[in-house]
Amino acid sequence: MSSTTSVHGMWSSRLAFILAATGSAVGLGNIWRFPYTAGEYGGGAFVLVYLICVAGIGIPIMMAEIMLGRRGRQSPINTMKSLAREEGSSPFWQLLGWMGIVSGFLILSFYSVIAGWTLAYVFRAAGGLFTGAEAQMARAMFEALVSDPERLLAWHTIFMIMTGLVVARGVASGLERAVRWLMPALFLLLVVMVFYAAQAGDFTGGFSYMFSPDFARLGSRFGEAVLSAMGQAFFSLSLGMGAIMIYGSYLNSRASIGQNAIIIASMDTLVALLAGLAIFPIVLANGLEAGAGPGLIFQTLPIAFGQMPFGGLFGTVFFVLLVFAAWTSAISLLEPMTAWLVENRGFSRPRAAALGAIAVWLLGIACLLSLNLWSNVTVLGKGFLDLFDYVTANILLPLGGVCIAIFAGWIMRRVSSVDELALGERSFGYRTWLALVRFVAPACVILVFLNAIGLI
Ligand code: PHE
């Protein structure tokens, strides 16, 4: 019989869970990664596939992940181990938890470096450095930052300390309060920026860039684009590595999982779309390159802030909010390994969090060096930062997500999932969910993988 509480603490309410999970989902993935990957694949077609993946694969897998977490009530590794035992299945399922730890480790190592860029930009905005910025100047400012390993190391270190400190104290305290004002504030500021983009940028152009899919333009990159859009959906929703699973383990047994998953995914998607609508009109109006890569927002937004009234103030507030958004996501990336160290190694929480943070920090150094001193060190044609980003978002997270779907749909007995989802076995909601996790999600992910490696 599964327990009704977790030793790591519990959310004080259903709202606290929604806030924390939204805090995990909304982050650099929405505001930094979504616009630049959409830009790399020409906009509309990518966005459409992304939206389909969020609705058809993301939401059902998020429900499955919350459900497994809440039933297991431990770190993802031990949750999978005890659920597999409970359902009479193989202990090998705990490998899923291990894969999640590896993914979280790799993601956080580069995530912290990018969050470091965001911290650096808070000070550039506050210092008035964006005033009168145009494309050339914005690019030079960005390049000066990424080519300086010492600065990158300093910001990366500060961000990892921030993350480690919160996880050391326990996620249930603090996170709830932070996200409660952060989300509305971030949302409001994004709306302001969309208005600014509508007035000062090429809004119609930006809008149609994002929402009129042109698959023909992708040509031979079709498979790659679909893989990236699917990967972006997993990354943005924090799925497939145990972050949502562990947050689910702190959720009380009465809350409706389906409703929660829909709310979290909708908010996450809304933020990503708003970010796109704030950025692409500026990109087009200033003749910038939509496919500029990871530097896209850092080379675009300073131009907008440099020209808008009170741009220094708006810019500062924006980057501060982005730091907070990245912080609440980073916390969820560090939490699963910390919980495991507490459960299996008997470490105190602060010690476990510190150990995880230090290990991630060390790997992050390889990521930040890949932007400058080690730019010629490549594996499969990519530097460490790009490699970790690619492997996690496009391969490990979808793979983890599919295993979660298969476990929830095929291994877990129906009585268990009916009981957890509380939808009624014959209800439309339950049957749709079951079909999605049993057939649709696994089939889609496998087809996209096979297609991307050229087998079909
Ligand atoms: N979803 C987060 C973002 O969009 C990143 C993340 C991925 C967090 C995976 C946890 C797990 O920024």
Side-chain angles (χ1 to χ4, degrees), residues 24-30 107 111 235-238 241 243 329 332-333:
S24 167
V26 174
L28 295 170
N30 308 59
I107 294 175
Y111 202 86
F235 187 90
S236 192
L237 295 171
S238 302
M241 57 75 56
S329 300
S332 73
L333 283 160

Side-chain angles (χ1 to χ4, degrees), residues 169-410:
R169 290 184 51 200
V171 294
S173 64
L175 203 55
E176 187 178 346
R177 254 171 298 144
V179 183
R180 201 187 283 263
W181 64 264
L182 167 72
M183 284 302 146
L186 184 65
F187 183 79
L188 257 175
L189 199 63
L190 277 173
V191 172
V192 169
M193 289 170 59
V194 172
F195 272 108
Y196 175 77
Q199 178 235 319
D202 175 3
F203 193 73
T204 5
F207 192 88
S208 78
Y209 183 79
M210 277 180 67
F211 295 111
S212 43
D214 181 0
F215 283 94
R217 262 223 312 259
L218 288 173
S220 63
R221 296 171 75 217
F222 176 79
E224 206 187 307
V226 173
L227 176 67
S228 297
M230 182 179 79
Q232 174 61 24
F234 278 95
F235 187 90
S236 192
L237 295 171
S238 302
L239 294 179
M241 57 75 56
I244 292 293
M245 192 184 288
I246 196 140
Y247 277 11
S249 76
Y250 309 151
L251 176 67
N252 75 47
S253 310
R254 292 180 312 276
S256 154
I257 290 179
Q259 229 177 42
N260 287 349
I262 291 173
I263 295 174
I264 296 160
S266 308
M267 295 209 273
D268 185 66
T269 308
L270 193 62
V271 172
L273 295 179
L274 285 175
L277 286 176
I279 286 159
F280 288 117
I282 308 284
V283 169
L284 296 178
N286 290 280
L288 302 168
E289 179 65 63
L296 184 66
I297 67 158
F298 295 93
Q299 295 174 43
T300 311
L301 293 176
I303 301 178
F305 292 128
Q307 295 171 358
M308 68 166 75
F310 305 108
L313 178 67
F314 277 126
T316 312
V317 176
F318 176 81
F319 282 108
V320 167
L321 291 176
L322 190 52
V323 167
F324 271 97
W327 197 5
T328 55
S329 300
I331 290 165
S332 73
L333 283 160
L334 190 58
E335 179 66 9
M337 54 182 114
T338 305
W340 181 80
L341 285 171
V342 171
E343 287 165 12
N344 287 46
R345 291 279 170 268
F347 287 5
S348 66
R349 185 169 252 281
R351 192 152 165 239
L355 197 71
I358 291 170
V360 170
W361 177 77
L362 285 172
L363 194 64
I365 295 176
C367 293
L368 67 88
L369 288 176
S370 74
L371 299 167
N372 37 66
L373 300 180
W374 290 0
S375 57
N376 53 357
V377 183
T378 56
V379 180
L380 305 168
K382 293 180 194 299
F384 290 117
L385 195 153
D386 290 344
L387 181 74
F388 293 171
D389 176 293
Y390 185 90
V391 168
T392 50
N394 294 358
I395 303 171
L396 292 178
L397 297 184
L399 201 63
V402 163
C403 294
I404 289 170
I406 291 175
F407 190 88
W410 294 99

Side-chain angles (χ1 to χ4, degrees), residues 80-93 407 410-413 416:
M80 290 314 299
K81 196 167 156 183
S82 63
L83 289 184
R85 191 183 315 120
E86 194 178 304
E87 303 294 341
S89 187
S90 151
F92 281 124
W93 280 102
F407 190 88
W410 294 99
I411 307 293
M412 221 162 150
R413 281 161 300 151
S416 313

